[in-house]
Amino acid sequence: MPTYKAPLRDMRFVMDEVFDFATGYETHGLTDATPDMVSAILEESAKFAGEVLAPLNRSGDEEGCHIDDGVVTTPKGFKEAYQQYVDNGWGSMTGPVEYGGQGLPASLGLVVAEMTASANYAWSMYPGLSQGCSAAIRAHGSPEQKKLYLNKLVPGTWTGSMCLTEPHCGTDLGLTKTRAVPREDGTYEITGTKIFISCGEHDFAENIVHLVLAKLPDAPAGTKGISLFIVPKFLPDANGEVGERNGVKCGSLEHKMGIKASATCVLNFDGATGFLIGEINKGLNCMFTMMNHARLGTGMQGLCHGEASYQTAIAYAKDRLQMRALSGPAAPDKPADPIIVHPDVRRMLLTMKGFNEGNRALAYYTAQLLDKAHYSKDESVRANAEDQLAFLTPICKAFMTETGLEVTNHGMQIFGGHGYIREWGQEQQMRDCRISLLYEGTNGIQALDLLGRKVLMSQGKMQRAFTKEVHQFCQANEGHATLGEYVTKLNKLNAEWGELTQKIAMRSMQNREEVGAAAMDFLMYSGYVTLAFFWLKMAVAAQATLDAGTSEEDFYKAKLATQEFYFKRLLPRARAHVEALEAGADSLMQMTAEQF
Amino acid sequence: MPTYKAPLRDMRFVMDEVFDFATGYETHGLTDATPDMVSAILEESAKFAGEVLAPLNRSGDEEGCHIDDGVVTTPKGFKEAYQQYVDNGWGSMTGPVEYGGQGLPASLGLVVAEMTASANYAWSMYPGLSQGCSAAIRAHGSPEQKKLYLNKLVPGTWTGSMCLTEPHCGTDLGLTKTRAVPREDGTYEITGTKIFISCGEHDFAENIVHLVLAKLPDAPAGTKGISLFIVPKFLPDANGEVGERNGVKCGSLEHKMGIKASATCVLNFDGATGFLIGEINKGLNCMFTMMNHARLGTGMQGLCHGEASYQTAIAYAKDRLQMRALSGPAAPDKPADPIIVHPDVRRMLLTMKGFNEGNRALAYYTAQLLDKAHYSKDESVRANAEDQLAFLTPICKAFMTETGLEVTNHGMQIFGGHGYIREWGQEQQMRDCRISLLYEGTNGIQALDLLGRKVLMSQGKMQRAFTKEVHQFCQANEGHATLGEYVTKLNKLNAEWGELTQKIAMRSMQNREEVGAAAMDFLMYSGYVTLAFFWLKMAVAAQATLDAGTSEEDFYKAKLATQEFYFKRLLPRARAHVEALEAGADSLMQMTAEQF
């Protein structure tokens, strides 16, 4: 049976030795996040994830959620685990102090979220959605709304949901049909059907705060006519306690490929009372506050399933005896060798390591940017962090999930036929991971966001905010004694990255389809180069420690070997993406719809 | 709801216009396979697949198989569909006339199998396993065994199974523990546990013929001590009719990711009566007769799920309205444009087409080789066909399933969030397809088979049997008016293919791990080049028809556009595989097991 043990040593390597989170906390005046406090939080979180959440992962998948006349029951043990999570203050960790939060750094929240989500992704969605909901209310709510809702959402007493999608519109929110009719008392009457609402109904908490996109009767067409509303399941009374039941009901649960323990709801709003949040017709801006949060979280999903899959796979690869090593028996006393002796099994394991640890470095770097953007006292640091975040968010969302799915696929393959059997949990990791390429904006949408909105619309500014970091790193490490060849390689790719942008920009002036035609390959190229940067950063740190002498030689040598593997066996794929995108739009657009 | 409509026009294009099956049938004296007969069979088979099997595909997945004290019940409608299949003579189509078969060409059998398997893969496994079982008995059985069993298996009155895997051994059959103790009457007493036995127990037929690998008490260690036994579920009586129940019972069914309507059984042999087939300790040779058959069938699985997924996806892409085309509204009268206008949706659709139609051409070429190997009167033709078959079989099995899985993944992605919902059937295609990378020898094993056994052990002879075909085609089409640049490209890749083999052969003399380290990338490279060859053959045929004038311009232009897409956007991946394999074994082997 699979278990999850938080990879604290790997996590601390990135936090402490690659990015130096501690100095960041000092600089930003995050004085509560002392080294001792950080260690205690990581240890306790690892325990909670491994001992409370992980044991519920497979039973949650087998049992799923159930609905009876609009009442949703989550799998056995789920709501008790949530109560424990709330009681122990995990939910409020990074929340603002004025609403009952602990004000700890966003970056630490992300590291802790990695553990809960790796242990049990479906469970982790319930608190995850609340975080996005809180962020939107904090950014756009009135003082009264903040007081009322954040005091409940931040500690986790209530949970949240995001209600965007409708049967006929997912990507294209301009087609929203849900109506919001103003009432005389300043509230709105919300009517419509929302689908695919994660954690839209459940038994975790006494109330659920739905954030709902809807259109006023006289709203302009398209996305310019969308407003955002708070629609609580139970209307709060004068004291902010749960009052009257609101007119929103779960009509059914979706039957899905995976994340079966996460309730995916059809929500019917039938004249429900809604409260406008932010300005009329500016709902999409508010929604993006939640979406950006959710997109980073979804990117993490790729890492989390990948890590869980790797842990089960590496244990199996060391244990399962099958065939002899090509170079002669490695375990002559046993009937066969453990399969980790076989080059192709190692190819899969190293691919898993290469993506997982690279993705973790990318995620933690992004987490550090969140800290900078939230807490830095230097405006130019904040602005630069915002630019880099804007640029890296679609890469995190799409590249980490594409590669995460590949990792879980290898994690099954290493098991042979046993990987296909539910008992081992490897197929669940792949099924659960698969959604991450779809929700919070499909990966194709992320690619358009990256190339169209972020790169081209900012005239390359957001891209340069990041490539400058890469360039500076390459300059600082030029001629590195052992890693010099890789520095040269990265520097070239980094330069090519900018050139590709230029080329696409030129072509798109002739033909707007060129942006869409290049987008996905551009995103994947960006991901491979980004991870090359982080792998090399990790290798430089590892080499320095080895040079200085360490009792953990194996740990650091593994980092160097995985970096080499990444450069030699994964990074070449970047070339295929360049060739593909240089084929241009014609190769995609010449066929008529009828010819398909 | 998804439906399946056999793509007869595409199938006929490959059969008639690319490979000219009809002339082959004439040459081989397969006089029953007249053009009229072939047409009638294809039409009727398309009807059976679309009307009888396809409607049972999703209900079969939802319902699954059930077991009660060793008795397995298949999903509703499954056994009735099998009875119809048998009654209509589909099972016996390619079987030998002397055992009740119709003696039709193997190639036609494969084309028909594409339809049944695309409509309902899980269902198609039951007759599929019988075919492999028949082939082994036909090749290695005694005259009495052939008479007794083939007369039942060929018409489908009884079905078959292949019992290889045990809990501790899948790939490594040398570790087989199942025992066969000789009895005085010449039979054997078979005792042991077999797992993952597809269609090992069910309610389709009155008897099941298990072919079981087991070891005699004094057998040599490893694969040289394995023998093969026929172990019928019911022992035939003197008249060959079902008699006494044999000592084999289904202990349980596996819970799997997909192909849930296919019963995957644990079979317990408890002193069951077995009949030796072939020679003692030569069981593995006999097994390979079944395995090669099964490997081609498993390769087809990649195509079949891919085709089914494409059909659902293309209909959705033309119907689903979401966002506007970047170049301006394509359907201004509608609230949004059909998503087929978006370049990234086309990228996915064309990737699906590129792999599906390329894989179909590869499969049908292989089918034609089966005809040559079975029926040609010219010994050198037979020998060449056998060499090519040996070389192409692992490519079919692994490349067609790897790309098939990718195709089903795109087929989900095109649906956005709806792809993750069971109702649409797209996620089932991906789950069902996933097993094909694992069973009948994992794809890693196929890669070793290709590079180690087929290419290097034959000193390149088997590879050259195929690359010569490619070379001749390139010579014949050198300087082609419109496709010349692609001919040049293919010719270069074909030459490089041989050079890669040389390089790996040299390196493997220094270090045997080099073969394992290069195998998977070599296989994938081989697949990409092989499909490039078939795409160019299709393009040359399409261009010739367009040049001559045709009323089906759209059809042929789509072939040319997809060939161009394949060369420009998929074939570049071959380069990444070359770079990866040139990294050599060190990049995989330098880490100790402990460092992982």
Side-chain angles (χ1 to χ4, degrees), chain B residues 1-7 11 44-61 78 81 85 110-125 259 261 300-301 303-309 311-312 360 425 428-429 432:
Chain B
M1 280 293 293
T3 54
Y4 170 73
K5 196 164 173 296
M11 298 167 86
E44 285 306 310
S45 171
K47 228 183 267 178
F48 180 69
E51 293 172 13
V52 178
L53 297 179
L56 300 174
N57 190 44
R58 202 169 98 75
S59 58
D61 179 63
F78 269 52
Y85 175 86
L110 185 133
V111 171
V112 165
E114 182 196 322
M115 297 189 237
T116 48
S118 297
N120 191 330
Y121 198 84
W123 181 92
S124 78
M125 291 180 71
I259 51 163
M300 288 297 288
Q301 188 173 358
L303 165 60
C304 294
H305 292 301
E307 171 65 33
S309 181
Q311 291 193 10
T312 312
R360 178 176 294 117
Q428 184 191 343
Q429 296 297 344
D432 284 359

Side-chain angles (χ1 to χ4, degrees), chain B residues 452-464:
Chain B
R453 292 190 60 219
K454 306 295 173 58
V455 171
L456 297 178
M457 271 172 65
S458 81
Q459 317 239 303
K461 175 170 162 278
M462 289 177 176
Q463 182 178 356
R464 282 192 301 275

Side-chain angles (χ1 to χ4, degrees), chain A residues 79-351:
Chain A
K79 68 176 179 182
E80 291 79 5
Y82 182 72
Q83 196 53 51
Q84 210 175 324
Y85 175 86
V86 170
D87 292 347
N88 294 344
W90 292 113
S92 61
M93 217 180 87
T94 60
V97 177
E98 63 265 45
Y99 303 113
Q102 299 163 57
L104 285 161
S107 59
L108 195 58
L110 185 134
V111 171
V112 165
E114 182 196 323
M115 298 190 238
T116 47
S118 298
N120 190 329
Y121 198 85
W123 181 91
S124 78
M125 290 180 71
Y126 295 86
L129 265 294
S130 297
Q131 302 261 347
C133 184
S134 288
I137 294 177
R138 201 174 157 194
H140 306 284
S142 67
E144 295 72 32
Q145 287 173 337
K146 289 187 197 180
K147 183 161 173 266
L148 177 54
Y149 293 103
L150 292 182
N151 273 317
K152 297 294 187 179
L153 284 167
V154 167
T157 316
W158 297 355
T159 68
S161 92
M162 293 165 54
C163 304
L164 291 76
T165 306
E166 300 183 6
H168 60 287
C169 73
T171 298
D172 196 352
L173 292 170
L175 302 177
T176 295
K177 284 185 185 163
T178 297
R179 309 282 280 178
V181 180
R183 291 182 184 139
E184 287 194 356
D185 64 357
T187 66
Y188 292 79
E189 192 171 285
I190 312 286
T191 305
T193 298
K194 295 287 179 177
I195 64 167
F196 298 167
I197 308 309
S198 296
C199 315
E201 181 56 57
H202 55 75
D203 51 9
F204 275 31
E206 61 179 33
N207 203 3
I208 303 172
V209 181
H210 305 295
L211 292 189
V212 183
L213 286 187
K215 287 190 153 189
L216 267 63
D218 57 352
T223 51
K224 286 175 187 153
I226 299 177
S227 306
L228 185 65
F229 299 88
I230 299 176
V231 183
K233 176 178 169 186
F234 290 96
L235 293 164
D237 66 16
N239 306 316
E241 295 306 311
V242 159
E244 195 190 335
R245 186 73 164 86
N246 203 354
V248 48
K249 192 169 172 182
C250 180
S252 61
L253 296 179
E254 301 288 355
H255 299 281
K256 314 184 297 288
M257 182 188 217
I259 53 164
K260 294 189 180 182
S262 164
T264 305
C265 304
V266 173
L267 287 188
N268 297 316
F269 295 86
D270 187 12
T273 298
F275 308 95
L276 180 72
I277 175 168
E279 288 175 53
I280 286 176
N281 296 337
K282 300 281 184 200
L284 217 60
N285 292 346
C286 308
M287 215 65 196
F288 268 112
T289 306
M290 298 170 74
M291 284 295 274
N292 281 331
H293 186 280
R295 284 175 176 182
L296 288 177
T298 305
M300 288 296 290
Q301 188 173 359
L303 165 60
C304 293
H305 291 301
E307 171 66 32
S309 181
Y310 178 77
Q311 291 193 11
T312 312
I314 185 67
Y316 190 77
K318 290 179 179 179
D319 183 61
R320 172 79 171 175
L321 307 177
Q322 208 79 174
M323 310 297 280
R324 291 295 182 188
L326 288 170
S327 52
D333 53 321
K334 294 186 174 156
D337 289 336
I339 60 172
I340 197 170
V341 304
H342 303 307
D344 196 59
V345 171
R346 285 169 165 257
R347 180 186 61 81
M348 293 188 277
L349 287 167
L350 282 163
T351 302

Side-chain angles (χ1 to χ4, degrees), chain A residues 172 323 327 409 434 513, chain B residues 172 323 327 409 431 434 513:
Chain A
D172 196 352
M323 310 297 280
S327 52
N409 190 39
R434 182 62 185 83
E513 303 288 7
Chain B
D172 197 352
M323 311 297 281
S327 53
N409 190 39
R431 283 188 289 107
R434 183 61 186 81
E513 303 288 7

Side-chain angles (χ1 to χ4, degrees), chain B residues 136-207:
Chain B
I137 294 175
R138 199 172 160 196
H140 306 284
S142 66
E144 295 73 30
Q145 288 173 336
K146 288 187 199 180
K147 184 163 172 263
L148 178 53
Y149 293 103
L150 292 181
N151 273 318
K152 297 292 187 180
L153 284 168
V154 166
T157 317
W158 297 355
T159 70
S161 91
M162 292 166 54
C163 303
L164 291 75
T165 305
E166 300 183 5
H168 60 288
C169 72
T171 298
D172 197 352
L173 292 169
L175 303 176
T176 295
K177 284 185 183 162
T178 297
R179 309 283 281 177
V181 180
R183 291 186 184 134
E184 287 193 355
D185 64 358
T187 68
Y188 292 79
E189 191 172 285
I190 311 287
T191 305
T193 298
K194 295 286 179 179
I195 65 168
F196 298 167
I197 308 309
S198 296
C199 316
E201 181 56 56
H202 54 76
D203 51 9
F204 275 31
E206 61 178 33
N207 203 2

Side-chain angles (χ1 to χ4, degrees), chain B residues 68-319:
Chain B
D68 181 15
D69 191 24
V71 177
V72 171
T73 313
T74 55
K76 207 151 78 176
F78 269 52
K79 68 176 179 183
E80 290 79 6
Y82 182 72
Q83 198 52 51
Q84 210 174 324
Y85 175 86
V86 170
D87 291 347
N88 294 345
W90 292 113
S92 61
M93 214 179 88
T94 60
V97 177
E98 63 264 47
Y99 303 113
Q102 299 163 60
L104 285 161
S107 60
L108 195 58
L110 185 133
V111 171
V112 165
E114 182 196 322
M115 297 189 237
T116 48
S118 297
N120 191 330
Y121 198 84
W123 181 92
S124 78
M125 291 180 71
Y126 296 85
L129 265 293
S130 297
Q131 302 262 347
C133 184
S134 288
I137 294 175
R138 199 172 160 196
H140 306 284
S142 66
E144 295 73 30
Q145 288 173 336
K146 288 187 199 180
K147 184 163 172 263
L148 178 53
Y149 293 103
L150 292 181
N151 273 318
K152 297 292 187 180
L153 284 168
V154 166
T157 317
W158 297 355
T159 70
S161 91
M162 292 166 54
C163 303
L164 291 75
T165 305
E166 300 183 5
H168 60 288
C169 72
T171 298
D172 197 352
L173 292 169
L175 303 176
T176 295
K177 284 185 183 162
T178 297
R179 309 283 281 177
V181 180
R183 291 186 184 134
E184 287 193 355
D185 64 358
T187 68
Y188 292 79
E189 191 172 285
I190 311 287
T191 305
T193 298
K194 295 286 179 179
I195 65 168
F196 298 167
I197 308 309
S198 296
C199 316
E201 181 56 56
H202 54 76
D203 51 9
F204 275 31
E206 61 178 33
N207 203 2
I208 302 171
V209 181
H210 306 294
L211 291 189
V212 183
L213 286 188
K215 287 190 152 191
L216 266 64
D218 57 352
T223 50
K224 285 175 188 155
I226 299 177
S227 305
L228 185 66
F229 299 88
I230 298 175
V231 184
K233 176 179 169 185
F234 290 95
L235 293 164
D237 67 14
N239 306 317
E241 296 305 313
V242 159
E244 195 191 333
R245 185 71 165 85
N246 203 352
V248 47
K249 192 170 172 183
C250 180
S252 62
L253 296 179
E254 301 289 355
H255 299 281
K256 314 185 296 289
M257 184 188 214
I259 51 163
K260 293 187 179 183
S262 163
T264 306
C265 304
V266 174
L267 286 188
N268 297 314
F269 294 86
D270 186 13
T273 298
F275 309 94
L276 180 72
I277 174 167
E279 287 177 53
I280 286 177
N281 297 337
K282 300 279 185 203
L284 217 60
N285 293 347
C286 307
M287 215 67 197
F288 269 111
T289 306
M290 299 171 74
M291 285 294 274
N292 281 332
H293 186 279
R295 284 176 177 182
L296 287 179
T298 305
M300 288 297 288
Q301 188 173 358
L303 165 60
C304 294
H305 292 301
E307 171 65 33
S309 181
Y310 178 77
Q311 291 193 10
T312 312
I314 185 66
Y316 190 77
K318 289 178 181 180
D319 183 61

